[in-house]
Amino acid sequence: MTATSYCLNPALKHSHLRQTFKRLGRVRIRGFLADDAARMLHHLLRDRSDWLR
């Protein structure tokens, strides 16, 4: 398997995420990856089984 780099979504509101994490101790980040990176990861996980090992 080759290494792949994934781009984070540049539209994420870092200050909002930080405040939420400070307040709750956890945060759910929807849209964490840029769309292309999310699609690539989805296809990799769907089409390959060697990542399960």
Side-chain angles (χ1 to χ4, degrees):
M1 184 185 287
T2 61
T4 305
S5 62
Y6 295 97
C7 296
L8 300 183
N9 183 348
L12 291 174
K13 307 286 190 241
H14 298 103
S15 61
H16 173 71
L17 295 170
R18 184 175 28 253
Q19 290 170 2
T20 301
F21 183 75
K22 275 180 116 175
R23 191 174 73 251
L24 301 176
R26 61 188 167 91
V27 64
R28 182 176 186 174
I29 306 173
R30 293 189 181 273
F32 179 72
L33 295 174
D35 289 345
D36 289 344
R39 270 191 293 280
M40 188 178 0
L41 181 59
H42 170 78
H43 291 295
L44 246 171
L45 295 174
R46 182 192 65 196
D47 298 340
R48 297 185 63 156
S49 62
D50 59 338
W51 65 272
L52 295 169
R53 295 181 201 149

